[in-house]
Amino acid sequence: MLFTEKLEEEYRDGYEAGEKNARISIIRNALSEKGPLTPQLEEYLENANIPTLDTWLRFAFEAGNCEMFLQKIGK
């Protein structure tokens, strides 16, 4: 692998990690006002991919509490 290809790959990986962390942070903030976040919920967030988190963002704002959110995401 060329040096520039390696840099591009690292940049892409860093960008994706930042995007994922931003979505998780928004979901956490939205849900934290609706009840405590359980370790299991934190694990679901950490293991989700970006498209899934995009869907869950809407659910986090629609849910009345964390339990409803978990029901909406099928957990």
Side-chain angles (χ1 to χ4, degrees):
M1 177 178 291
L2 295 174
F3 180 73
T4 55
E5 290 173 345
K6 181 70 173 160
L7 283 177
E8 288 175 9
E9 180 181 329
E10 289 177 6
Y11 175 80
R12 185 176 51 253
D13 291 346
Y15 178 82
E16 289 175 5
E19 288 293 308
K20 180 177 177 174
N21 287 336
R23 286 162 174 80
I24 290 172
S25 179
I26 295 167
I27 293 170
R28 282 182 182 135
N29 286 336
L31 292 176
S32 68
E33 298 192 13
K34 300 175 183 192
L37 279 70
T38 64
Q40 187 66 44
L41 176 54
E42 291 285 352
E43 184 177 334
Y44 293 143
L45 293 174
E46 291 296 331
N47 291 324
N49 60 33
I50 290 175
T52 298
L53 291 169
D54 286 339
T55 301
W56 290 2
L57 278 166
R58 184 172 34 92
F59 294 160
F61 286 102
E62 292 173 351
N65 57 45
C66 291
E67 187 174 305
M68 290 174 68
F69 173 76
L70 289 171
Q71 289 174 351
K72 284 185 171 277
I73 67 170
K75 304 291 184 187

